[in-house]
Amino acid sequence: MKQQSDKLAAQFDNMDDAYLRERKQDMLQVVRRIHNNLIGQGNELEVADNLFDETVLIANDLSPADTVLFKEQRIAAFVTDAGGPTGHTAILGRSLDIPSVVGLHNARKLITEGETVIVDGINGVLIISPDESVLNEYRRRAREYRSHKRDLNKLKKTAAATADGVCIELVGNIESAEDVKPLHNLGADGIGLFRSEFLYLNRDTMPSEDEQYEVYSAIVKK
């Protein structure tokens, strides 16, 4: 298995397109899950029950299955040594509105537990042990960001159209039926992509046809 995964990884590394090169991490995550299943080791991320909103998770890598757990148990941000900005995990983090910086290679070695960090997901910057002036600057940026989001929220009922009157349909991506209501609240015209792979994550059995029907039906009804 390792020989084949190394061979595939090399093929990804040789791809000219940066987006396709980053798919290597998705492939390696699949290989890791298969390996863990073969040796009887679980794939579930162990998340402490006492995580709170100020917690920043530092990890070597996070799979999409790991990241989706943060939908139920919020964290302030996450940082990984592996991955890239167009990887599945980073995309999920953005959809969950969780700041993240990925692909830092040695963050786990540089950060100790309990240390204060700033995760600037907009600029892809991680600041370790910031002084008070830096903290104040990022508090100001956070207030500015929240204000900007409130301003954008005022436009959600405004028709999306170009200056010459061409209407543009705005749709959103979802992972579950629970994501439909936020789309309505944001004024979306519909669903662009339903990430149906999440029906298969964090469970031991395949979803039945009836179960999948119920999920799709619930989405349509919402």
Side-chain angles (χ1 to χ4, degrees):
M1 182 182 293
K2 186 178 187 308
Q3 290 177 346
Q4 288 300 316
S5 65
D6 288 346
K7 183 178 179 180
L8 285 172
Q11 292 176 358
F12 278 102
D13 287 336
N14 291 327
M15 292 180 179
D16 295 329
D17 188 283
Y19 177 83
L20 293 178
R21 282 199 304 272
E22 287 191 7
R23 302 284 70 73
K24 179 180 79 171
Q25 292 301 323
D26 295 338
M27 181 274 295
L28 292 176
Q29 288 170 354
V30 172
V31 171
R32 185 161 56 248
R33 291 180 70 85
I34 293 173
H35 174 266
N36 289 346
N37 283 328
L38 288 174
I39 65 174
Q41 180 178 325
N43 285 294
E44 292 76 16
L45 177 69
E46 294 184 5
V47 181
D49 293 332
N50 60 346
L51 284 184
F52 47 90
D53 291 342
E54 289 78 24
T55 297
V56 175
L57 179 64
I58 313 294
N60 176 59
D61 196 11
L62 291 171
S63 71
D66 296 331
T67 310
V68 78
L69 293 175
F70 303 143
K71 197 169 190 175
E72 304 297 329
Q73 189 164 16
R74 296 291 297 183
I75 59 173
F78 65 84
V79 174
T80 64
D81 289 339
T86 62
H88 211 156
T89 296
I91 292 172
L92 268 179
R94 288 193 290 272
S95 71
L96 295 174
D97 202 24
I98 300 176
S100 66
V101 178
V102 299
L104 292 183
H105 304 295
N106 58 357
R108 289 193 307 163
K109 295 180 181 178
L110 298 176
I111 301 171
T112 58
E113 187 170 350
E115 196 166 19
T116 299
V117 297
I118 293 175
V119 180
D120 182 350
I122 295 176
N123 297 302
V125 173
L126 173 69
I127 302 175
I128 304 172
S129 297
D131 60 28
E132 194 61 29
S133 63
V134 175
L135 285 171
N136 287 333
E137 168 61 18
Y138 270 89
R139 291 184 183 114
R140 183 194 66 78
R141 293 188 187 187
R143 290 193 298 270
E144 189 176 82
Y145 177 72
R146 289 192 293 268
S147 176
H148 178 62
K149 289 186 69 174
R150 287 193 295 269
D151 290 340
L152 290 177
N153 195 48
K154 298 174 184 177
L155 301 175
K156 64 183 181 181
K157 298 300 182 182
T158 305
T162 61
D164 57 352
V166 177
C167 292
I168 299 174
E169 184 182 36
L170 295 179
V171 295
N173 298 344
I174 65 170
E175 287 93 43
S176 67
E178 288 72 29
D179 295 331
V180 176
K181 184 176 180 180
L183 286 187
H184 284 309
N185 293 339
L186 291 172
D189 297 313
I191 297 170
L193 171 68
F194 172 40
R195 295 191 176 100
S196 56
E197 65 267 28
F198 287 96
L199 293 173
Y200 298 80
L201 298 181
N202 297 319
R203 56 184 297 158
D204 297 325
T205 59
M206 298 276 284
S208 67
E209 182 178 346
D210 288 341
E211 184 179 352
Q212 294 183 61
Y213 170 81
E214 291 299 328
V215 172
Y216 280 94
S217 177
I219 291 172
V220 172
K221 291 176 181 177
K222 286 178 179 289

